[in-house]
Amino acid sequence: KKIDNETKSKFKEIFDSINDNLNYFFTKIFGGGKAYLELTSNDLLNTGVSIMARPPGKLIKNISLLSGGEKAGTGIAFVFSIFKINPAPFCVLDEVDAPLDEANNNRYCNVVKEMSETVQFIFITHNKSTMELADILSGVTMKEPGVSKLVSVNINEAVDLSMNQLKVQDSVNQPS
């Protein structure tokens, strides 16, 4: 009975924290709206959890009734709400931004920047806005069929190199 009571208490505490964080991240990613977790029964030891979401201008719905982009944004908000409570050293995101429209992707990028203070992100993306967040870009190229090559660029080093080349070029072009 003691273990059951402790489990119920801890579950409720974590559930409430995730719920608060979910609404916070959801509104940041969607620029408004509301999201929350709902228990499927009163028995905390056997309950299920539903994610309810209302993107701006829409009615509250179960996540299964949302569009692909809305599901992705809600899922991202949910993952971040868990990471906020118990951050792991890194998080791998595999094309989670693909279904997002440009406005939602820009807000997603802002949330990733915010979360980057406590979590290192490794993300797979084809979205240019998302790539601009990266410190290091890695890609795979295939010069000849069947031969792949990994290419990596440290963005900060590339910017420094570019700036130094511009300085050298400006000094060469200066009249003496």
Side-chain angles (χ1 to χ4, degrees):
K1 190 170 185 160
K2 181 183 175 191
I3 291 172
D4 283 353
N5 287 335
E6 196 173 314
T7 301
K8 287 177 188 178
S9 173
K10 191 68 172 168
F11 174 82
K12 184 69 172 133
E13 177 188 330
I14 297 296
F15 176 85
D16 290 341
S17 294
I18 291 172
N19 212 0
D20 292 341
N21 291 338
L22 174 62
N23 192 57
Y24 170 79
F25 286 115
F26 184 88
T27 57
K28 287 195 98 140
I29 290 171
F30 285 97
K34 182 171 179 56
Y36 60 91
L37 300 175
E38 192 174 82
L39 298 174
T40 59
S41 80
N42 292 331
D43 179 5
L44 294 181
L45 294 177
N46 296 303
T47 188
V49 177
S50 293
I51 299 175
M52 306 301 284
R54 182 183 59 83
K58 295 193 175 185
L59 297 173
I60 292 180
K61 297 178 181 176
N62 185 296
I63 190 172
S64 65
L65 301 173
L66 300 176
S67 73
E70 291 167 339
K71 284 180 185 175
T74 305
I76 292 164
F78 181 66
V79 168
F80 286 172
S81 67
I82 294 169
F83 266 78
K84 190 75 170 178
I85 293 168
N86 189 13
F90 66 93
C91 176
V92 178
L93 301 172
D94 187 357
E95 295 194 42
V96 298
D97 56 348
L100 299 178
D101 63 21
E102 188 174 344
N104 288 338
N105 190 71
N106 289 335
R107 289 189 291 267
Y108 156 76
C109 288
N110 290 333
V111 172
V112 169
K113 280 183 211 172
E114 177 185 328
M115 292 293 294
S116 292
E117 294 173 16
T118 56
V119 178
Q120 181 177 5
F121 287 97
I122 300 167
F123 46 85
I124 299 154
T125 186
H126 292 109
N127 191 305
K128 291 177 186 174
S129 303
T130 307
M131 285 185 224
E132 290 174 1
L133 294 174
D135 294 326
I136 298 173
L137 287 176
S138 297
V140 178
T141 184
M142 193 180 295
K143 273 187 163 180
E144 53 187 271
V147 181
S148 298
K149 181 180 179 186
L150 181 64
V151 179
S152 235
V153 177
N154 182 313
I155 302 301
N156 295 326
E157 288 176 10
V159 168
D160 290 345
L161 180 62
S162 178
M163 295 302 281
N164 288 337
Q165 287 178 341
L166 285 174
K167 288 177 186 175
V168 169
Q169 190 175 17
D170 283 346
S171 68
V172 169
N173 292 337
Q174 293 285 327
S176 323

